[in-house]
Amino acid sequence: MSGIVAVFRRDGRPVEAGEVERMLAAVPECSVDGQSAWVAGEVGLGHQRFWVLPEEMGEVQPLFDAEIGCVLVADLRLDNRGQLLRELAVTGDDAALWSDARLLLAGYLRWGQACVERLMGDFAFVLWDEREKRLFAARDPMGARGLSYHLSDGVALLASNVEQLLAHGAFAARLNESRVVDLLTMDWSDQAATFYRDVLDLVPGATLTVTATRAEVREFCDLLPVKRLRYRDQRNYAEHYRELVTEAVACRLRSTGRIGLSLSGGLDSTLLAAIAAPMVPQGGGASGLQCYSYAFERHPSCDERPFIEPLVAHLGVGSRYAWCDDLWTLRDADRWPVHRDYVLTDPYAWLPQAVNRLASQDGCRVLLGGYYGDVLTAGSREWAAGMAADGRLGELTVELWKNRSLPVWAGAARSLGRAMLPLWIDRLRRRPARRRGESQPALDRRLVGAADRVNSRRGFHRHLRLACFTQGPASVRRTYHALGLEPLSPYEDRRLVEFVLAIPADQLGRPGDGNDRRIHREAARGLLPEPIRSRKDRTSFLALLREGLFDREAATVARLLARPRIVDMGQVAAVWLETHPPTASLPVEDLEVLWLCLCLEMWLRKFW
């Protein structure tokens, strides 16, 4: 696993070893087990090693095929190893020795670029085909592994991290101001755009082919199921959901080290713990799963131990607490995580780092997390349109009659309106008339068109594919690698996402008491203690944000808002900051906007 970089001199000039080395050195955290580079003529590839999977122990990339002249660097975990081994006729003891990268290279030699359609799992890779004088790259449909690129007539650069591209020196960093607007308006619909005008993200589920004279992006998977899934027995939806979550967890337990889990008291990580505990044996019937959680004494509203401790005892798993009372927002402001490639906006960034340090001390290599779990059930907002589209008008009428409240009826009206809104009006609503950065418009149109085929579900499909769900984690991943950890999110499994897109939206949740996150709660029945499974509230760490901004770090906030760059650049109106001062009386919605402004200000001051 870990990082990859590539340089292709399209003008035919030879690549120098120093070019690849500079890119690798830009993000040293990813070279957990070393790094290596290969340079030949107009091409150079580099790989940062982090041996997480047993089959990759000792493997040094790039991998070569001497006969045909293909060279590969890959950051991947393949979940369908068995199927690929059979299709490639790899049998016997040799099969256990084949790494996922070796399987990928063999698949390319057998099927060519179509090999990506046979891969299941998390992957990003770059392959040089000497026969065709062609660079070929791909990214998995969920975007679980980062891959960004810069293209010009003279050179093509690819890397796991934007900062590695910037380190090459082939182009000057230019701010993509339209992406800054995306941040402030929380519009992450453009999957390809980055904060740099000359850098693009390879869209999840797409390939990039580059030759000396041509560059092409091709989509190979948009996650939309061909058929809708309908069960006569309503219980089958939750059973199928649980099976897929179980499979997703099992696929992520291949590790050379201990398995850890970041455990909260919410629905997502607790279900993962219940499923993973019996799969991680220690001996004597005990589980080897180790859980790590936040704990608070001074901020009881943030503390979830009343939910965590009964579950840990019930599952018989190990548990450690990271004490977080003093990890308020902007503490140690001079060390606050500000990355060059992406504007991080997590106001509680010290909390996961505290957990990660404990997991690293215990020798964990994999740290499971419930990230993206609640995103999967966001499609429940389309419950009314889904019922109407399926012809279940009588059931829809009964549901509305049972829940005679303004919020429920207004939500149903919005859902039905989104489904019936003419396509051209919908596009005008979603795409304001302002210049955007380069963003592969042809590919973007195909993605929009694919989403529009599902009527009421097109908004849910777009939501699942927002760039913030891939670009943010790709940037933060380096902080895990610095501690020898690989973060893995079972809820980001492609099979699970395709499933929730195929089922009726009301199976994800309906209005009414106890029906939010309906399918998840039903899948957890019998696995989680009832107080957790039926929990309605969500823990908020807002107390840490308020303490940091309005008390402990008030001087830091005042310094950031004195002659702010965001005002000088015209991104934020001075009058808004003047009328929304950082005081304890600031409403939550305005506080969130203020925090975005502070994050952007810190980023601009550090890198621009």
Side-chain angles (χ1 to χ4, degrees), residues 282-462:
Q282 187 182 48
S287 174
L289 182 67
Q290 182 69 33
C291 297
Y292 304 91
S293 308
Y294 312 145
F296 299 84
E297 290 286 357
R298 193 162 51 85
H299 292 294
S301 65
C302 302
D303 194 64
E304 295 188 291
R305 282 178 292 166
F307 295 98
I308 293 171
E309 289 174 351
L311 179 67
V312 166
H314 173 70
L315 298 177
V317 298
S319 176
R320 291 186 67 184
Y321 289 108
W323 296 95
C324 301
D325 277 305
D326 295 331
L327 299 182
W328 55 79
T329 302
L330 285 185
R331 174 172 177 162
D332 301 326
D334 58 326
R335 297 193 304 108
W336 188 258
V338 182
H339 294 176
R340 189 174 185 184
D341 57 328
Y342 185 84
V343 181
L344 301 176
T345 60
D346 181 4
Y348 315 112
W350 291 144
L351 304 188
Q353 290 206 23
V355 156
N356 296 349
R357 282 193 291 272
L358 294 181
S360 178
Q361 292 169 9
D362 288 346
C364 293
R365 282 251 164 172
V366 164
L367 187 65
L368 302 175
Y371 173 74
Y372 204 75
D374 55 350
V375 178
L376 282 178
T377 53
S380 61
R381 68 179 188 147
E382 308 296 351
W383 65 275
M387 286 183 171
D390 288 346
R392 298 156 58 197
L393 298 178
E395 191 176 347
L396 173 59
T397 302
V398 171
E399 197 70 43
L400 290 172
W401 183 254
K402 284 194 314 183
N403 296 278
R404 296 189 298 277
S405 68
L406 180 59
V408 171
W409 284 52
R414 285 193 296 269
S415 174
L416 292 167
R418 282 189 295 267
M420 296 183 293
L421 198 63
L423 179 59
W424 66 273
I425 295 179
D426 192 30
R427 283 180 172 169
L428 286 176
R429 178 178 61 83
R430 286 188 285 107
R431 297 193 171 276
R434 58 179 173 84
R435 187 187 68 80
R436 304 184 64 87
E438 295 177 284
S439 58
Q440 299 168 308
L443 178 61
D444 188 57
R445 283 195 296 272
R446 288 200 298 273
L447 290 174
V448 172
D452 289 328
R453 290 197 301 268
V454 293
N455 297 325
S456 64
R457 308 308 299 278
R458 64 178 181 268
F460 183 32
H461 177 264
R462 287 196 301 271

Side-chain angles (χ1 to χ4, degrees), residues 127-361:
L127 183 145
W128 172 249
D129 191 327
E130 178 64 26
R131 301 167 302 177
E132 305 290 339
K133 295 293 181 180
R134 177 179 65 198
L135 205 65
F136 177 64
R139 191 178 183 198
D140 71 84
M142 291 304 302
R145 296 288 182 263
L147 190 58
S148 304
Y149 65 96
H150 162 79
L151 281 179
S152 68
D153 291 340
V155 67
L157 306 174
L158 297 92
S160 299
N161 191 286
V162 173
E163 192 160 353
Q164 294 169 318
L165 299 178
L166 299 172
H168 179 272
F171 63 99
R174 297 191 297 162
L175 181 64
N176 182 3
E177 294 188 11
S178 68
R179 196 52 158 180
V180 173
V181 175
D182 291 344
L183 168 72
L184 294 173
T185 59
M186 298 303 290
D187 176 9
W188 296 105
S189 55
D190 191 333
Q191 293 181 290
T194 72
F195 286 95
Y196 297 86
R197 292 176 61 185
D198 301 299
V199 176
L200 295 173
D201 249 22
L202 183 58
V203 172
T207 64
L208 171 65
T209 304
V210 185
T211 66
T213 59
R214 182 178 63 90
E216 178 187 16
V217 172
R218 181 183 69 86
E219 179 188 3
F220 66 88
C221 177
D222 64 6
L223 296 176
L224 283 169
V226 176
K227 296 182 179 180
R228 297 193 177 201
L229 184 61
R230 299 294 182 265
Y231 287 131
R232 290 185 178 179
D233 189 335
Q234 300 291 298
R235 293 172 296 183
N236 289 343
Y237 291 108
E239 292 171 359
H240 195 166
Y241 180 86
R242 183 198 284 195
E243 290 172 1
L244 290 172
V245 175
T246 301
E247 184 177 14
V249 170
C251 289
R252 287 158 178 79
L253 297 183
R254 293 163 56 202
S255 174
T256 58
R258 197 170 187 180
I259 304 293
L261 187 145
S262 181
L263 178 65
S264 73
L267 288 171
D268 299 316
S269 61
T270 51
L271 180 58
L272 296 183
I275 289 174
M279 295 184 181
V280 187
Q282 187 182 48
S287 174
L289 182 67
Q290 182 69 33
C291 297
Y292 304 91
S293 308
Y294 312 145
F296 299 84
E297 290 286 357
R298 193 162 51 85
H299 292 294
S301 65
C302 302
D303 194 64
E304 295 188 291
R305 282 178 292 166
F307 295 98
I308 293 171
E309 289 174 351
L311 179 67
V312 166
H314 173 70
L315 298 177
V317 298
S319 176
R320 291 186 67 184
Y321 289 108
W323 296 95
C324 301
D325 277 305
D326 295 331
L327 299 182
W328 55 79
T329 302
L330 285 185
R331 174 172 177 162
D332 301 326
D334 58 326
R335 297 193 304 108
W336 188 258
V338 182
H339 294 176
R340 189 174 185 184
D341 57 328
Y342 185 84
V343 181
L344 301 176
T345 60
D346 181 4
Y348 315 112
W350 291 144
L351 304 188
Q353 290 206 23
V355 156
N356 296 349
R357 282 193 291 272
L358 294 181
S360 178
Q361 292 169 9

